[in-house]
Amino acid sequence: MKFKNYLITALISLFALTGCHTVQGLGEDISAGGQAIERAAQ
């Protein structure tokens, strides 16, 4: 059962990371999320 959960988590992570195509893209996505949080807090 635990192996199935690990496998599902790994596959979801893989699809999420490939959606960014690069580490730079991932950084840009995280940055955009942080900026949105800052705007909401103001």
Side-chain angles (χ1 to χ4, degrees), residues 6-26:
Y6 289 132
L7 182 61
I8 291 171
T9 303
L11 288 174
I12 290 172
S13 298
L14 178 67
F15 287 124
L17 290 175
T18 57
C20 295
H21 298 292
T22 64
V23 175
Q24 180 182 359
L26 178 63

Side-chain angles (χ1 to χ4, degrees), residues 28-42:
E28 291 173 359
D29 291 343
I30 292 171
S31 176
Q35 290 173 358
I37 292 171
E38 285 181 12
R39 285 192 302 270
Q42 291 177 353

